[in-house]
Amino acid sequence: MHSFHTSGDPIADRRFAYAMDYKAQGDLAAAAELVEQTLDCAPRWAAGWYVLGDLREEAGERSKAIEAYRQSLAFDASDVAGAGARLARLGERPADGAMTASHVAALFDEYAPRFEHSLVGDLSYRGPALLKAALSELRQPLAFRRMLDLGCGTGLAGEALQACCAEMIGVDLSQAMLAKAGNKSLYRDLICEDALAFLESQPAASAELVLAADVFVYLGDLQALFNEVARVLEPNGLFAFTAQRHDGPEPFILNHDMRYAHSHAGMETWARTAGLTLLCRNDEWARQDRGIPVPGMVAIFAQ
Ligand SMILES: C[S@@+](CC[C@H](N)C(=O)[O-])C[C@H]1O[C@@H](n2cnc3c(N)ncnc32)[C@H](O)[C@@H]1O
């Protein structure tokens, strides 16, 4: 049986391991040839096709990369590997919905053990601190009855806001990230679900604060989510989030770093349509990439 990490055929797996050695040495052609041999033995292995696409893309062989990503998708429609997003970035699919829940869950299940060290330590992540500072400017004393943390991850936003939230509920696609959050014993409930599906299950006017810290980088069109946030918020409840910013005319793009970036205008249109009012927005970076701040925004809307 093949999975993300194994083709299910020991000989093919060995060949794949050699391919990765060649890749590590920078010999992309030899690596791609060995992955092709792997796929001769395990032709339905979606992750193998994805890696072949990645090697082809890195070598500048665009059409061969596209072909390999398409094969990956054909053998795994849930797209754990993430071929759809790569196709979208190459302009071969619409950007919206290109990043599947299975892919995001697999990404963060893998990332969870080193997430905090990497994000806070290496990437200077400060999303939760920015959100707390922006909320403090608007509300004094800072106190919320029920807070929903969309894409709570390991619970960094919960840690930042625990003192001012009577009850916190975290939702995330990654079981491994939720396990880390659970170790902190901060949240009343931790739910493994897509953020939009979770909101749809919540009663109207049942939360005083909805947070999304660095989560929209995995979502394109946010209209449905904004609509649900507006429904779930109590009157005068707050919706606070950080997002990666782009300044072009599109409401969102799938960036070269494989993250979605959103525009001010896009956010404001979705909010207006949902009946939310902008209270504050600051152009602040929440994360760095190789030492360079990634353009971002911190925004708070009210019900
Ligand atoms: C960069 S991490 C940020 C985690 C946390 N909010 C923080 O500030 O540390 C993004 C998190 O969002 C989660 N995520 C992405 N898309 C999601 C979705 N559609 N529904 C629920 N969680 C999602 C990921 O699994 C991941 O844990």
Short mmCIF file of all heavy atoms in Angstrom, two decimals, residues 104 108 115 119 125 128 149-154 156-157 171-174 177 193-196 213-215 217-219, ligand 1:
data_model
loop_
_atom_site.label_atom_id
_atom_site.label_comp_id
_atom_site.label_asym_id
_atom_site.label_seq_id
_atom_site.Cartn_x
_atom_site.Cartn_y
_atom_site.Cartn_z
N VAL A 104 -2.85 20.86 3.59
CA VAL A 104 -2.51 21.72 4.74
C VAL A 104 -2.33 20.86 5.99
O VAL A 104 -1.38 21.05 6.76
CB VAL A 104 -3.59 22.81 4.95
CG1 VAL A 104 -3.32 23.61 6.22
CG2 VAL A 104 -3.64 23.75 3.75
N PHE A 108 1.22 20.59 8.13
CA PHE A 108 1.39 20.98 9.53
C PHE A 108 1.56 19.78 10.46
O PHE A 108 2.18 19.92 11.53
CB PHE A 108 0.26 21.92 9.97
CG PHE A 108 0.52 23.32 9.48
CD1 PHE A 108 -0.02 23.76 8.29
CD2 PHE A 108 1.36 24.16 10.17
CE1 PHE A 108 0.26 25.03 7.80
CE2 PHE A 108 1.66 25.44 9.70
CZ PHE A 108 1.09 25.87 8.51
N PHE A 115 7.54 23.54 14.74
CA PHE A 115 6.81 24.75 14.37
C PHE A 115 7.21 25.97 15.21
O PHE A 115 7.60 27.01 14.68
CB PHE A 115 5.30 24.51 14.50
CG PHE A 115 4.46 25.73 14.24
CD1 PHE A 115 4.19 26.15 12.95
CD2 PHE A 115 3.95 26.47 15.30
CE1 PHE A 115 3.43 27.28 12.71
CE2 PHE A 115 3.19 27.60 15.07
CZ PHE A 115 2.93 28.00 13.78
N LEU A 119 9.11 29.01 13.67
CA LEU A 119 8.34 30.23 13.39
C LEU A 119 8.72 31.38 14.32
O LEU A 119 8.99 32.50 13.87
CB LEU A 119 6.84 29.92 13.53
CG LEU A 119 5.90 30.94 12.93
CD1 LEU A 119 6.01 30.96 11.42
CD2 LEU A 119 4.45 30.66 13.32
N TYR A 125 8.23 35.35 14.28
CA TYR A 125 6.77 35.45 14.18
C TYR A 125 6.20 36.26 15.35
O TYR A 125 6.54 36.03 16.51
CB TYR A 125 6.18 34.04 14.19
CG TYR A 125 4.66 34.02 14.11
CD1 TYR A 125 4.00 34.64 13.06
CD2 TYR A 125 3.91 33.38 15.08
CE1 TYR A 125 2.63 34.62 12.98
CE2 TYR A 125 2.53 33.34 15.01
CZ TYR A 125 1.89 33.96 13.96
OH TYR A 125 0.53 33.94 13.88
N PRO A 128 0.39 36.78 17.07
CA PRO A 128 -0.43 36.91 18.26
C PRO A 128 -0.16 38.20 19.05
O PRO A 128 -1.09 38.84 19.54
CB PRO A 128 -0.06 35.66 19.09
CG PRO A 128 0.37 34.67 18.05
CD PRO A 128 1.08 35.48 17.01
N ASP A 149 -10.58 30.54 18.05
CA ASP A 149 -9.26 30.71 17.45
C ASP A 149 -9.19 29.83 16.20
O ASP A 149 -8.97 28.62 16.29
CB ASP A 149 -8.20 30.30 18.49
CG ASP A 149 -6.78 30.61 18.05
OD1 ASP A 149 -6.60 31.08 16.91
OD2 ASP A 149 -5.85 30.39 18.86
N LEU A 150 -9.40 30.45 15.04
CA LEU A 150 -9.42 29.70 13.76
C LEU A 150 -7.98 29.39 13.34
O LEU A 150 -7.16 30.30 13.26
CB LEU A 150 -10.11 30.53 12.68
CG LEU A 150 -11.50 31.09 13.00
CD1 LEU A 150 -12.03 31.89 11.79
CD2 LEU A 150 -12.47 29.97 13.37
N GLY A 151 -7.69 28.14 13.07
CA GLY A 151 -6.31 27.76 12.71
C GLY A 151 -5.40 28.01 13.90
O GLY A 151 -4.36 28.64 13.76
N CYS A 152 -5.80 27.49 15.06
CA CYS A 152 -5.10 27.82 16.32
C CYS A 152 -3.69 27.27 16.37
O CYS A 152 -2.87 27.73 17.16
CB CYS A 152 -5.90 27.30 17.51
SG CYS A 152 -6.05 25.50 17.55
N GLY A 153 -3.38 26.26 15.53
CA GLY A 153 -2.03 25.70 15.54
C GLY A 153 -1.66 25.18 16.91
O GLY A 153 -2.43 24.49 17.58
N THR A 154 -0.46 25.54 17.35
CA THR A 154 0.04 25.07 18.65
C THR A 154 -0.45 25.94 19.81
O THR A 154 -0.01 25.76 20.94
CB THR A 154 1.58 25.06 18.66
OG1 THR A 154 2.03 26.41 18.41
CG2 THR A 154 2.14 24.13 17.60
N LEU A 156 -0.38 29.50 20.06
CA LEU A 156 0.38 30.72 20.40
C LEU A 156 -0.55 31.90 20.67
O LEU A 156 -0.30 32.71 21.57
CB LEU A 156 1.35 31.07 19.26
CG LEU A 156 2.54 30.12 19.08
CD1 LEU A 156 3.33 30.48 17.83
CD2 LEU A 156 3.45 30.15 20.31
N ALA A 157 -1.66 31.99 19.89
CA ALA A 157 -2.60 33.11 20.13
C ALA A 157 -3.33 32.88 21.45
O ALA A 157 -3.62 33.83 22.19
CB ALA A 157 -3.58 33.22 18.97
N VAL A 171 -9.63 25.64 16.71
CA VAL A 171 -9.96 24.73 15.60
C VAL A 171 -8.79 24.73 14.64
O VAL A 171 -8.18 25.78 14.39
CB VAL A 171 -11.29 25.12 14.92
CG1 VAL A 171 -11.25 26.53 14.38
CG2 VAL A 171 -11.63 24.15 13.80
N ASP A 172 -8.44 23.55 14.15
CA ASP A 172 -7.31 23.46 13.23
C ASP A 172 -7.44 22.19 12.41
O ASP A 172 -8.04 21.20 12.85
CB ASP A 172 -5.98 23.43 14.00
CG ASP A 172 -4.81 23.88 13.14
OD1 ASP A 172 -4.34 23.06 12.31
OD2 ASP A 172 -4.37 25.03 13.27
N LEU A 173 -6.84 22.20 11.22
CA LEU A 173 -6.87 21.01 10.35
C LEU A 173 -5.85 19.96 10.78
O LEU A 173 -5.98 18.80 10.41
CB LEU A 173 -6.55 21.43 8.91
CG LEU A 173 -7.65 22.15 8.14
CD1 LEU A 173 -7.09 22.71 6.83
CD2 LEU A 173 -8.81 21.20 7.84
N SER A 174 -4.85 20.37 11.53
CA SER A 174 -3.75 19.44 11.84
C SER A 174 -3.87 18.87 13.24
O SER A 174 -3.80 19.60 14.24
CB SER A 174 -2.41 20.17 11.68
OG SER A 174 -1.39 19.48 12.36
N MET A 177 -0.68 19.61 15.33
CA MET A 177 -0.63 20.98 15.88
C MET A 177 -1.57 21.06 17.09
O MET A 177 -1.22 21.64 18.12
CB MET A 177 -1.05 22.00 14.82
CG MET A 177 -0.13 22.09 13.62
SD MET A 177 1.49 22.80 13.97
CE MET A 177 1.16 24.55 13.81
N GLU A 193 -10.91 20.36 12.49
CA GLU A 193 -11.90 20.60 11.43
C GLU A 193 -11.45 21.80 10.60
O GLU A 193 -10.65 22.62 11.06
CB GLU A 193 -13.26 20.90 12.09
CG GLU A 193 -14.42 20.71 11.16
CD GLU A 193 -15.78 20.86 11.87
OE1 GLU A 193 -15.81 21.36 13.01
OE2 GLU A 193 -16.78 20.47 11.26
N ASP A 194 -12.01 21.91 9.41
CA ASP A 194 -11.79 23.10 8.60
C ASP A 194 -12.49 24.30 9.28
O ASP A 194 -13.59 24.17 9.82
CB ASP A 194 -12.39 22.86 7.21
CG ASP A 194 -12.43 24.13 6.40
OD1 ASP A 194 -11.36 24.65 6.07
OD2 ASP A 194 -13.54 24.62 6.13
N ALA A 195 -11.84 25.46 9.25
CA ALA A 195 -12.36 26.63 9.96
C ALA A 195 -13.78 27.00 9.51
O ALA A 195 -14.64 27.31 10.35
CB ALA A 195 -11.41 27.81 9.76
N LEU A 196 -14.03 26.96 8.20
CA LEU A 196 -15.35 27.35 7.71
C LEU A 196 -16.42 26.33 8.17
O LEU A 196 -17.48 26.73 8.65
CB LEU A 196 -15.33 27.46 6.18
CG LEU A 196 -16.67 27.77 5.52
CD1 LEU A 196 -17.25 29.09 6.02
CD2 LEU A 196 -16.51 27.82 3.99
N ALA A 213 -4.92 34.01 13.20
CA ALA A 213 -3.54 34.48 13.18
C ALA A 213 -2.75 33.67 12.15
O ALA A 213 -2.52 32.47 12.34
CB ALA A 213 -2.90 34.33 14.56
N ASP A 214 -2.38 34.32 11.05
CA ASP A 214 -1.56 33.70 10.00
C ASP A 214 -2.20 32.43 9.42
O ASP A 214 -1.52 31.45 9.16
CB ASP A 214 -0.17 33.38 10.56
CG ASP A 214 0.90 33.38 9.47
OD1 ASP A 214 0.70 34.06 8.45
OD2 ASP A 214 1.93 32.70 9.62
N VAL A 215 -3.50 32.48 9.22
CA VAL A 215 -4.24 31.32 8.70
C VAL A 215 -4.70 31.60 7.26
O VAL A 215 -4.76 30.68 6.45
CB VAL A 215 -5.49 31.04 9.57
CG1 VAL A 215 -6.26 29.86 9.04
CG2 VAL A 215 -5.07 30.80 11.00
N VAL A 217 -3.23 32.72 4.93
CA VAL A 217 -2.21 32.39 3.92
C VAL A 217 -2.49 31.03 3.28
O VAL A 217 -1.87 30.68 2.28
CB VAL A 217 -0.78 32.42 4.51
CG1 VAL A 217 -0.35 33.84 4.78
CG2 VAL A 217 -0.68 31.59 5.77
N TYR A 218 -3.44 30.28 3.85
CA TYR A 218 -3.82 28.98 3.26
C TYR A 218 -5.20 29.01 2.63
O TYR A 218 -5.72 27.97 2.23
CB TYR A 218 -3.72 27.87 4.32
CG TYR A 218 -2.31 27.81 4.85
CD1 TYR A 218 -1.97 28.41 6.06
CD2 TYR A 218 -1.31 27.26 4.08
CE1 TYR A 218 -0.66 28.43 6.50
CE2 TYR A 218 0.01 27.28 4.50
CZ TYR A 218 0.32 27.86 5.71
OH TYR A 218 1.62 27.90 6.12
N LEU A 219 -5.80 30.18 2.56
CA LEU A 219 -7.16 30.31 2.01
C LEU A 219 -7.18 31.44 1.00
O LEU A 219 -6.58 32.49 1.24
CB LEU A 219 -8.15 30.62 3.13
CG LEU A 219 -8.37 29.49 4.16
CD1 LEU A 219 -9.05 30.04 5.40
CD2 LEU A 219 -9.18 28.36 3.57
C1 LIG B 1 1.00 29.39 10.28
S1 LIG B 1 0.02 28.42 11.32
C2 LIG B 1 -0.54 29.60 12.53
C3 LIG B 1 -0.99 28.95 13.80
C4 LIG B 1 -1.48 29.90 14.89
N1 LIG B 1 -2.67 30.62 14.50
C5 LIG B 1 -0.40 30.85 15.32
O1 LIG B 1 -0.59 32.06 15.21
O2 LIG B 1 0.66 30.35 15.74
C6 LIG B 1 -1.44 28.15 10.35
C7 LIG B 1 -2.37 27.13 10.98
O3 LIG B 1 -3.63 27.21 10.31
C8 LIG B 1 -4.12 25.91 10.12
N2 LIG B 1 -5.07 25.97 9.00
C9 LIG B 1 -4.81 26.32 7.72
N3 LIG B 1 -5.93 26.31 6.98
C10 LIG B 1 -6.93 25.95 7.83
C11 LIG B 1 -8.33 25.77 7.66
N4 LIG B 1 -8.92 25.94 6.48
N5 LIG B 1 -9.06 25.40 8.73
C12 LIG B 1 -8.45 25.22 9.95
N6 LIG B 1 -7.14 25.36 10.15
C13 LIG B 1 -6.38 25.74 9.11
C14 LIG B 1 -2.90 25.06 9.87
O4 LIG B 1 -3.13 23.70 10.10
C15 LIG B 1 -1.90 25.69 10.85
O5 LIG B 1 -1.92 25.06 12.10
#
